[in-house]
Amino acid sequence: GENVEQHPSTLSVQEGDSAVIKCTYSDSASNYFPWYKQELGKRPQLIIDIRSNVGEKKDQRIAVTLNKTAKHFSLHITETQPEDSAVYFCAAFLNQAGTALIFGKGTTLSVSS
Amino acid sequence: GAGVSQSPSNKVTEKGKDVELRCDPISGHTALYWYRQSLGQGLEFLIYFQGNSAPDKSGLPSDRFSAERTGGSVSTLTIQRTQQEDSAVYLCASSYPRGELFFGEGSRLTVL
């Protein structure tokens, strides 16, 4: 069926370490892959996105990589800080015509100092 | 408006009652989404509106749930005969077509 799978569900790292979250999607026609961050008690907000015409995109300490052949994309956070602690969601439109944006189940990242 | 506005922010109701949740999207955004987030859980897709196209209702969990969007702007999510398992935060988001979603603060529904 159409879905977006996200792993791991929880991730604990020490401040300064890197964190990697992975997602897979089912529809090879998908061409837009955003990542949202939701801090405790707040609304989700976009942190980075990538379209299928590129393989990697960076924005300071965060980066997203895309492997269209394998149908997976990953979020990389380097030099993690306590304020990076949040729930991270990947998402994809499940076909090229683009109906609804479907989210993965989320990864709770905890960064300890 | 400055952002996506949702009301009420909190709603407590008794099992079996009907509830209406309202979403006022960002002006000019043609796409509008409803998601449900249970405590500590992910963003469960409910329904999607895009312009004048027929809405994608594939995420609605039962026929007790319905939504409409009037005039391409404000949307109302209606839950009939509420059940305790309907308790959750209902999030609305709007965007340009296939663009960044901007979420509202959500409506927290508690069914007693």
Side-chain angles (χ1 to χ4, degrees), chain A residues 31-32 36 38 41-44 46 51 89 93 95-105, chain B residues 3-4 33 35 37 40-43 45 47-48 56 91 97-105:
Chain A
N31 60 7
Y32 174 65
Y36 284 77
Q38 186 177 30
K42 297 189 176 180
R43 71 188 86 183
L46 180 72
R51 297 192 184 269
F89 295 96
F93 290 109
N95 57 64
Q96 197 162 27
T99 53
L101 192 65
I102 303 300
F103 286 85
K105 293 191 180 298
Chain B
V4 177
Y33 301 78
Y35 294 92
Q37 189 170 36
Q41 300 299 309
L43 298 167
F45 165 70
I47 189 168
Y48 164 69
D56 179 351
L91 287 163
R98 303 177 66 75
E100 177 183 354
L101 267 62
F102 292 85
F103 284 85
E105 296 278 13

Side-chain angles (χ1 to χ4, degrees), chain B residues 4-16:
Chain B
V4 177
S5 178
Q6 291 188 245
S7 61
S9 55
N10 278 286
K11 176 71 175 179
V12 180
T13 190
E14 294 179 346
K15 177 182 174 180

Side-chain angles (χ1 to χ4, degrees), chain B residues 38-85:
Chain B
S38 301
L39 186 62
Q41 300 299 309
L43 298 167
E44 177 189 4
F45 165 70
L46 296 178
I47 189 168
Y48 164 69
F49 297 89
Q50 171 53 52
N52 295 321
S53 301
D56 179 351
K57 304 180 181 179
S58 61
L60 295 178
S62 77
D63 59 7
R64 296 186 296 105
F65 288 72
S66 63
E68 62 177 20
R69 188 178 185 190
T70 55
S73 181
V74 172
S75 178
T76 302
L77 177 69
T78 301
I79 309 172
Q80 296 179 309
R81 305 181 302 282
T82 51
Q83 304 295 313
Q84 289 184 330
E85 59 263 30

